[in-house]
Every structure is written in C-alpha cells, then in structure tokens.
Amino acid sequence: MVSQEQPVPPEQETPAESRGTELELTATAADWPANQQPLWRTHPKHWPDIWRRSIQARIVTGTLLMSTVVLLLVGWVMMSQVTDGVLESRRASAQAEAVAQLASLSNTINAADPTTINQQLSELVLGSNRPGLYDVLLVPTDSSASNAIRYTGLVDSDSIPTELASSVMSDDSKLWDTYTVINYRDGPSVPGLVVGSQLRVTNERYAVYFLFPLTAQQETLDVVQNALITAGLLLVVLLGAVAWLVTRQVVTPVRMARRIAERLAAGKLEERMQVRGTDDLARLAVSFNKMASNLQRQIRRLEELSRLQRRFVSDVSHELRTPLTTVRMAADLLHETRDQFDPISRRSVELLQNELNRFEELLADLLEISRFDAGAAALDLEDVDLRDIVNRVLENHETLLQRKGCEVQLDMREPCRAQVDSRRIERILRNLIGNAIEHSEGLPIRISTAYDEDAAAVAVRDHGVGFRAEEAEMVFSRFWRADPARARTTGGTGLGLSIALEDARLHGGRLDAWGSPGDGAYFRLTLPRRSDVTLSGSPLPARPPDASRVVTEKSLVDVGAPYQKLTGGEER
C-alpha cells in the first residue's frame, strides 16, 4: 500500500523577495520566452508559431512584402519609361541618319554612268557605311534577279525581319523601321534597329536597309536596371529595419506588460511596470500599475476573508464535536428506551435521532472540506477493481433502491483496475449513485466502467429530472441545490458533489457532468490508473450515448490541471 501526499501549490514569494520589483521596458534575446526567440535563432519549423504569436513579426513581414510589391511596380514603371525614352531618342536619330544617307546614295547613283552602275553598287554601298554606327544592306526587290545582295560589315541578311521586308516591298514612298537582332557572320548577335526603304537603280528596284546596333543603349539600360535593383533592395532592407524599430518601441512594452500579467497571475503580486516619460505607453504603464495595486489589495483582502472563513469552519466543526458527542449519547439512550414512551414522545425521539444523524453527516463533511482547504488531505493508494467498489456501494443503497423501485443496469464486463484510495473513491461513487437513485423518478439508472492504457472511468446515468445547461457549472458548488424545495429522502448536506470533486482532483483525475431537463443527468469519473500518469482523455464519452436531446456538452471541471491560485487563496 502506497501513501501519497496531496500536491501542494508553490508557496507565494515573500514580500521581502519581490517588493518593489520593477521591470525595464527593454528586452534582450536572452529574456525572451522560448517561443519568442529572434527569427535567426529559431528553428524553421517554429516559424509558423512565431507568425501566429508575434505582432512584430507580422508587421515587419507585411511591411517587407508590401514595400517589395510597391518597389517592383515603381521599378517596372521607371524602367519602362527610361527604356522608351532611350529607344525613341535613338530611333529618331536613326531615321534622320537613314533619310540623309538615302538622299546621298540616290544622288550618287543618279550621277553615275547607267551602263556601269551595277558593277559600282558594292563600292557605293561600302561608301555609305559608317563603321560602328550602322551597316547597310542592299537587296534586290525582284527575287528572280541575278543581282547579288550587297552588304557592309559582314552583316547577315537574316537580320531583316520578314514583316519589315514585306512592308518595304509593298510601299516605296515610306521609311519603315523595327527593332530586331542583328546577326553578323564573324561575331555575336546584338540588339538593333533596322530602317528600310526602296531605292531605284536604272530599271531595277532595291530594298536598302540601315542596321543600327543598340549596344550602347543596352549598356545604358543595364546600368539603370542594376541601379534600380540595388536601390530597391537597400530601400526594402531600410523599410524593414524602420518597421522593426517602430514596432519594437510599441511591442516591447506590451510584451513586458504581458509577462508581468503572467507573473501576477502566478501569485507574484508585487510586480510592477517601470514608468518612463509621459507618452501613451507611460500612461498605460501607470494604469497597469494602478490596476495591479488594486488587484493586490482585493486579493489580500479576499485571502484574509477566506482564511478566516476556513478557520471558522474548522474551529466550529471541531468545537461542535464535544457537545454533539454528549447529545448523541443522550439521544441514543432515549432511542433505546423509546418503546416505554407515549406515542408523541416516541416520535420525538425518532425525529431527534434522525436529525442527529444528519447533523453528524454535515459535521463530517465540513471537517473534510476544511482538510481540503488546508491542503492536509492525503491519499492511501492501493490497486483495486472499480467494479468491486461499485458493487459495494449498490449493496449499501439496496434499501433505497427498493423504496424507489429503481432498476440498476450494469455495464461492467471487464476488470477495471487502478491505483486509488478506495475509501475516497467509494465516497465519490456513493454520492453519484445516491443522487442518481434519488432523482431518477423510479426510472432505471445505468452504471458503466471502462479503461484504457492510462485511465479508468466510471459513469452514472439516470433518466430523472436532470438539470439545465446553465446549472451545469454550479452542481459542484458547496450547498448548491437545483431545487431547494425538493423533498429529500436521503438527507444530503449539499456538500457531496463538492467533496467528490475534491477527491477526484486529489487523485489527479476529473469529474464531468452533463444534464438535460427531462432527460436526466450523466456524471463521469475519470482516474489515472497509476499515480505517475497525467490524464489526456477518458475511455468513456463526455455525454451519454442515449441522450434524446442535443445539448451543449459542458466539461465542468478539469481536475487534472493544477490549482489555479494566485497565492494561497481558495479556488473559486
């Protein structure tokens, strides 16, 4: 048999250790919680958590994304305008140059000897060339003509787009141009501008094309593009840094306030924010500190009232035991000799005995509650089968079951063993089963047991009057009754479910309740099978499978969680 003491909440920090503590409104990486470390010190798998939890991360990321989109749009517009301006300027100058060269070439051809002009065309084309500025290509318009194509600078005739050639062939009165890629027989291809028109030589027509390389313009545009990219990247980084600094000025005090609030919730009531300046954040710190001071005063006052209340209940309960013992002895003596009394006196003695039994039960419950409040309750663990405890409780309630005419349906096919304090578990089940019988209105009740690897559970289901969903959170309150005017046959004190809840919590288990008016009630007790197990679920459902009405489930108390206390005050 193993004895286990009740877990006691950590003691409150003494005022000498925490009084006057002030937190700086600055934060370093070492001070941050593990889930709020800087991004560069966090594993990538935790980045989604940082995105969900950190306002600063979302603001900085959003600023970077929006500034990147804006800069891309601005860069695209600026690059388009610069490109159009540079190319349009080069196009205008190329057209002017082509018009001048066409006029000069036409005058030269007209002044030449018509009989030898075809032999002189190559020299004339070479004479009109400007090396480095443009090349000239002379193509006969008659595809069947035997005249060869004249060109300069080893330029390839494939450089002329088909659409431009068709336009030049279709109209000899216009100057046509387009952008293309100029191919050379002895070098790499370069972007260029082609300007074309027709030229008459004796009785034949030729298409003359001036090919202007745009290498210088391309280099200029590359320089502008690189400058825009570099400036954009620097601006994005600068905007990100500005966003980080600005949000840090706001988020850091909020983060400090959150950490102080967590410490206040943990019972360190002396924590305060440091006030600097007179801005909005400073006023927030002042208001926060005032709130903390008011909470501290109220909590101290409530703690004192709670301490006095617990001491009063404990003292009164102990002090009543001595006179109650004397009254009990006298009442027992009268009860044993009641047959010698007249009917009225005999009935009075029986009433006195019944009320003394109820008074002793109430006194025992008060003493048990005072032990829970004082943290003095302990467990006496042993390995037992919960079915045996259920059967033992049913035997004790046999008389009540017969009087109520209530049928008990058992769903306990397999052993359900766990390390528990059988006395306390029997008390829990005695309360649950007793309440089910009392409120069943003569309808059957069902008791189920189940277990898994870590937990064992017992559920008690009745089909009586039930209770409303809004009353579900109050069924475990001390002295609370759904219907104070109801006639009670078991003489309950109103502390049974409250004590049952404390017993379940002491085991590290949980006690859940579900109810629906006219559909009965359902209580589920879940216990860890071993003392070193932390509950994560239950082998039985949280609401009865045969519920005829769909109502909201309310898991009333998760008693597997630690006490939620600020200091040493009673949990409410």
Side-chain angles (χ1 to χ4, degrees), residues 88-362:
E88 188 62 28
S89 175
R90 181 54 179 151
R91 179 170 175 267
S93 62
Q95 288 179 346
E97 184 72 19
V99 169
Q101 291 300 323
L102 278 173
S104 175
L105 185 59
S106 178
N107 293 332
T108 303
I109 291 175
N110 292 333
D113 186 359
T115 60
T116 61
I117 188 63
N118 290 328
Q119 291 78 17
Q120 298 177 359
L121 278 178
S122 297
E123 289 79 4
L124 293 175
V125 170
L126 290 174
S128 63
N129 182 37
R130 296 292 186 273
L133 295 179
Y134 62 87
D135 293 298
V136 181
L137 187 66
L138 194 67
V139 181
T141 58
D142 187 0
S143 58
S144 61
S146 59
N147 297 347
I149 298 175
R150 278 81 170 178
Y151 56 87
T152 63
L154 297 179
V155 68
D156 197 335
S157 61
D158 294 340
S159 303
I160 308 301
T162 303
E163 294 80 1
L164 178 64
S166 300
S167 300
V168 171
M169 296 297 182
S170 64
D171 192 346
D172 60 353
S173 62
K174 293 183 179 180
L175 195 67
W176 305 86
D177 64 78
T178 187
Y179 296 103
T180 186
V181 176
I182 302 176
N183 301 316
Y184 294 96
R185 293 186 175 89
D186 61 347
S189 301
V190 297
L193 174 66
V194 181
V195 180
S197 185
Q198 286 192 19
L199 181 67
R200 179 182 295 276
V201 179
T202 63
N203 294 326
E204 296 183 8
R205 291 182 177 275
Y206 287 85
V208 59
Y209 300 99
F210 297 91
L211 295 92
F212 297 86
L214 301 177
T215 305
Q217 287 73 22
Q218 183 64 47
E219 292 177 353
T220 301
L221 294 177
D222 290 342
V223 171
V224 173
Q225 182 178 5
N226 293 334
L228 288 176
I229 292 175
T230 302
L233 291 176
L234 292 176
L235 189 57
V236 168
V237 173
L238 181 60
L239 289 175
V242 171
W244 182 82
L245 289 174
V246 172
T247 54
R248 185 175 183 270
Q249 298 297 320
V250 178
V251 172
T252 299
V254 175
R255 187 174 293 143
M256 292 298 103
R258 176 190 60 81
R259 294 177 61 187
I260 295 175
E262 290 176 352
R263 295 185 182 183
L264 289 173
K268 300 178 181 178
L269 302 177
E270 305 295 337
E271 295 288 355
R272 297 292 184 272
M273 291 183 65
Q274 185 175 6
V275 180
R276 289 183 177 178
T278 58
D279 56 10
D280 293 334
L281 293 177
R283 291 198 294 271
L284 173 63
V286 172
S287 300
F288 187 93
N289 291 341
K290 289 182 179 179
M291 177 191 69
S293 298
N294 293 333
L295 286 176
Q296 181 182 8
R297 286 195 298 270
Q298 293 294 331
I299 290 173
R300 296 300 187 200
R301 187 174 65 86
L302 292 176
E303 286 176 0
E304 182 63 20
L305 291 175
S306 178
R307 186 185 65 81
L308 293 175
Q309 178 188 11
R310 293 196 304 270
R311 183 175 179 180
F312 174 78
V313 172
S314 178
D315 292 346
V316 169
S317 300
H318 283 87
E319 292 298 329
L320 286 177
R321 292 183 66 88
T322 300
L324 180 62
T325 302
T326 304
V327 175
R328 164 60 67 183
M329 292 174 61
D332 290 342
L333 181 60
L334 293 174
H335 190 266
E336 292 175 358
T337 60
R338 67 182 182 279
D339 294 335
Q340 303 175 10
F341 301 151
D342 58 85
I344 296 178
S345 300
R346 185 168 56 250
R347 179 56 180 166
S348 299
V349 170
E350 292 174 353
L351 291 175
L352 176 63
Q353 187 74 4
N354 292 336
E355 294 305 315
L356 277 176
N357 291 336
R358 290 183 54 194
F359 188 74
E360 283 187 332
E361 183 181 350
L362 174 60

Side-chain angles (χ1 to χ4, degrees), residues 376-414:
L379 290 176
D380 189 10
L381 297 179
E382 57 182 332
D383 187 46
V384 298
D385 190 341
L386 297 182
R387 300 182 305 170
D388 296 337
I389 301 179
V390 171
N391 290 327
R392 191 159 59 246
V393 172
L394 288 175
E395 290 177 2
N396 294 334
H397 286 84
E398 185 175 357
T399 302
L400 181 60
L401 285 169
Q402 293 176 355
R403 185 166 65 251
K404 285 287 188 177
C406 182
E407 178 189 357
V408 178
Q409 301 173 352
L410 298 179
D411 182 11
M412 303 188 301
R413 291 180 293 272
E414 297 181 357

